[in-house]
Amino acid sequence: MKNNILNTIKTIHPTNGMIGVEIEVEGSKLPQILPSWRIDVDPSVKNWSKHENYEYVIPKPTDLIGVKAALDELELAYKMNNSKVVEGELCGVHVHLNVQEWSLKKFYTFLICYYIIEEVLTTYCGPAREGNHFCLRAQDAEFILFQIRKTICEKNFKYLNNENIRYATCNLYSLFKYGSLEFRAMRSTRDLAAIYTWCEILTTLAANTGKFNSPLEAISQFSGDGELLFLKTLLGKHAPLFTKVPDLEKKIRNGARRAQIIAYATDWNTYKDEKVNPFK
Amino acid sequence: MLVYKNAEYAANRLAGTIVRRIIGNQHIPIAIANIANSKVAYTTLADNIPDVCDLKELDLDPVPLGYINNQKVATYWARKPMRQDWRQGLRAANVVCLSHPHAEWGGNNLKQIAACIDGVYPTFKQCLGKVKRNPEAKGSIAFSRDFAIDSAGVLFYKSITVGGIDDNGEPDYLPSFEWASDAFIEAVN
């Protein structure tokens, strides 16, 4: 049996498709019927918004082509309706990456790489999302790193099956419902191309963390390469989007320091190594 | 930076919590009592002085946490990114002690919490002197947000035992925790 997420968390329903998107929107003249989207009302937004508000959800995980097609459909509907979208602190975009087929080592390697560059990545999502309590970073709410450390040390995922880690930029509680990592940091915006780029950034990061055979190899490469080269290794063509982030190197260094408590939580040789296509 | 424009929403997210007020270059820890008409009633955490400021003067970034030096023991605290507590600021419900699971948040320790948020700690040498002077008094003391030592010479990093302090006052790491050395050097310098 494969040592992967699907076989580790028994509650997951096996699902194909690598990515899912949920967009919370406040505004006016918003589309109400769209074939590629399920349209819900989000109570967390509804209770406070003075505008129309909906949550647009791609109903089944898809690939980047599917996401692009769905966003194109939403874009067209916005234009046809002359919709106005309000950017505020209430609404966000949640992107789910399907990790069911990921090996545990791949899963933890991804988390370490993510936490090393989390602060830098979140700058793309908008100033109102940095430190926002709907999507706290590890530097804001360090508890999540300790839950991951316990999960690794005790080889028991029960520490992640916990609502107390849900409002993080990377929500690991979503593993138990969908077998996904939910990225909650992106702002809701009229600029749907920016949302698509965010999806590309996350999938690129997921693919490139596969270059490392273990969490330790990732953090060793970081030490050898330095901040900028490591960022380029992880984000490829998207790295230039981040090179002008203020205090970039310091932010990545601090991220690496935070990630150490999970990178060094165990002897990774005790985890079975196997090649798994993360987007199978 | 996150800014709240709706006072009613801000009150819901901030009343009864700890954030910081920006005054010049300083970001001062405050406990918010209430918000009305974009005015914030608060008390300073360090001195318990009541005051009022504008909503736009608040720094809403989550306050940095770590070790808090209580009277005898250094306790390590972290925020939980929890769903059932829709507060932007920090309060007892969304914070947890990782070093001492039964430790209580707040109480008479507001001054010490303010010191943690401000990053104010005794130096490593001061802490070492204190535990050496009184090795019988069981306790611990933090010299940074991330590091503490106890009276037995044990060295803690973020609540994790990573080694000890030898007779020369140098860290002696457990074999699997040598990675903490860079953080230690940064903390003591």
Side-chain angles (χ1 to χ4, degrees):
Chain A
M1 185 182 282
K2 285 181 182 175
N3 190 18
N4 64 14
I5 296 291
L6 186 61
N7 292 326
T8 303
I9 302 173
K10 303 296 183 190
T11 54
I12 303 174
H13 180 69
T15 310
N16 293 319
M18 75 169 185
I19 188 164
V21 179
E22 307 160 357
I23 307 176
E24 298 167 340
V25 183
E26 280 186 281
S28 59
K29 298 181 181 175
L30 299 177
Q32 295 181 35
I33 299 173
L34 288 165
S36 300
W37 299 85
R38 192 181 76 230
I39 303 177
D40 299 333
V41 175
D42 186 336
S44 69
V45 177
K46 186 187 169 194
N47 292 343
W48 289 102
S49 178
K50 294 173 181 170
H51 308 277
E52 280 178 58
N53 54 87
Y54 296 109
E55 184 175 29
Y56 297 96
V57 181
I58 295 178
K60 284 185 178 175
T62 179
D63 54 17
L64 279 174
I65 295 169
V67 170
K68 181 77 169 59
L71 289 171
D72 285 347
E73 184 187 281
L74 183 57
E75 176 70 38
L76 190 62
Y78 277 160
K79 283 180 179 164
M80 294 284 285
N81 285 20
N82 198 21
S83 304
K84 299 285 181 234
V85 172
V86 176
E87 279 194 27
E89 69 275 3
L90 281 177
C91 291
V93 175
H94 305 157
V95 176
H96 289 259
L97 286 187
N98 183 352
V99 300
Q100 294 184 359
E101 295 284 339
W102 287 14
S103 71
L104 297 188
K105 205 180 274 187
K106 156 85 186 171
F107 173 71
Y108 291 124
T109 304
F110 174 86
L111 289 183
I112 282 150
C113 292
Y114 176 79
Y115 285 119
I116 290 174
I117 62 169
E118 181 191 40
E119 184 175 7
V120 173
L121 278 179
T122 311
T123 61
Y124 181 82
C125 301
R129 305 299 286 176
E130 294 176 66
N132 189 311
H133 73 91
F134 287 117
C135 51
L136 293 166
R137 302 160 294 184
Q139 72 206 75
D140 307 316
E142 203 181 16
F143 176 69
I144 192 160
L145 296 180
F146 288 84
Q147 293 300 97
I148 297 169
R149 183 179 165 84
K150 276 187 185 174
T151 304
I152 295 168
C153 290
E154 298 183 27
K155 295 187 177 177
N156 191 332
F157 269 66
K158 71 177 181 184
Y159 297 107
L160 304 180
N161 191 6
N162 188 329
E163 287 265 8
N164 289 345
I165 60 168
R166 189 164 167 179
Y167 275 12
T169 65
C170 177
N171 165 25
L172 285 92
Y173 182 62
S174 175
L175 287 170
F176 296 85
K177 196 168 180 185
Y178 303 112
S180 69
L181 292 174
E182 183 195 25
F183 296 88
R184 301 174 52 85
M186 185 62 190
R187 70 190 181 281
S188 183
T189 171
R190 175 64 183 82
D191 182 0
L192 298 180
I195 294 174
Y196 180 71
T197 300
W198 179 240
C199 294
E200 278 193 322
I201 289 168
L202 293 172
T203 54
T204 301
L205 176 63
N208 286 341
T209 55
K211 293 174 180 173
F212 308 115
N213 286 318
S214 75
L216 219 50
E217 191 178 308
I219 211 151
S220 298
Q221 181 144 347
F222 164 75
S223 300
D225 285 354
E227 295 83 4
L228 287 176
L229 189 53
F230 189 69
L231 185 73
K232 200 174 173 186
T233 301
L234 292 182
L235 299 183
K237 68 172 185 178
H238 299 293
L241 288 171
F242 299 93
T243 48
K244 289 185 179 164
V245 169
D247 299 320
L248 173 73
E249 294 180 348
K250 186 180 173 191
K251 283 173 178 160
I252 296 176
R253 261 197 316 277
N254 289 342
R257 182 68 54 78
R258 278 188 291 274
Q260 281 181 320
I261 68 161
I262 48 177
Y264 294 105
T266 191
D267 175 2
W268 291 104
N269 293 323
T270 60
Y271 280 86
K272 284 183 185 173
D273 193 18
E274 58 187 56
K275 298 287 180 191
V276 175
N277 177 356
F279 298 136
K280 186 180 167 186
Chain B
M1 196 167 81
L2 179 61
V3 178
Y4 286 154
K5 293 168 189 158
N6 176 339
E8 192 186 353
Y9 182 75
N12 184 269
R13 304 288 144 159
L14 297 172
T17 72
I18 295 169
V19 294
R20 283 172 292 181
R21 180 190 171 182
I22 305 168
I23 302 177
N25 290 329
Q26 291 186 302
H27 293 229
I28 297 164
I30 60 171
I32 294 180
N34 202 4
I35 297 173
N37 301 320
S38 296
K39 292 288 181 188
V40 181
Y42 69 87
T43 52
T44 58
L45 215 56
D47 308 315
N48 199 30
I49 297 170
D51 205 345
V52 174
C53 69
D54 285 333
L55 186 55
K56 63 185 178 188
E57 292 177 84
L58 298 182
D59 169 2
L60 297 179
D61 276 352
V63 294
L65 292 173
Y67 275 110
I68 293 175
N69 277 324
N70 305 300
Q71 275 197 320
K72 291 179 180 170
V73 180
T75 51
Y76 191 84
W77 298 82
R79 181 161 176 172
K80 295 183 281 188
M82 58 195 296
R83 181 169 184 249
Q84 283 99 342
D85 188 78
W86 295 8
R87 300 296 188 284
Q88 179 62 33
L90 189 76
R91 63 177 190 159
N94 59 28
V95 70
V96 62
C97 183
L98 297 167
S99 58
H100 299 75
H102 301 295
E104 284 188 23
W105 175 256
N108 297 322
N109 298 333
L110 296 182
K111 203 176 184 109
Q112 288 83 350
I113 293 171
C116 167
I117 294 169
D118 288 334
V120 176
Y121 291 91
T123 66
F124 175 58
K125 279 186 178 174
Q126 287 170 333
C127 292
L128 206 54
K130 192 169 181 180
V131 295
K132 273 185 175 175
R133 271 196 306 275
N134 197 2
E136 300 304 314
K138 288 185 179 175
S140 54
I141 185 165
F143 51 93
S144 81
R145 234 188 264 293
D146 295 335
F147 281 97
I149 50 173
D150 74 5
S151 51
V154 176
L155 179 65
F156 300 95
Y157 176 63
K158 294 176 182 269
S159 80
I160 302 164
T161 302
V162 294
I165 301 297
D166 67 19
D167 293 341
N168 299 319
E170 296 294 327
D172 181 13
Y173 299 101
L174 293 166
S176 53
F177 292 98
E178 286 175 356
W179 51 267
S181 61
D182 286 349
F184 178 84
I185 291 166
E186 202 170 284
V188 297
N189 290 319

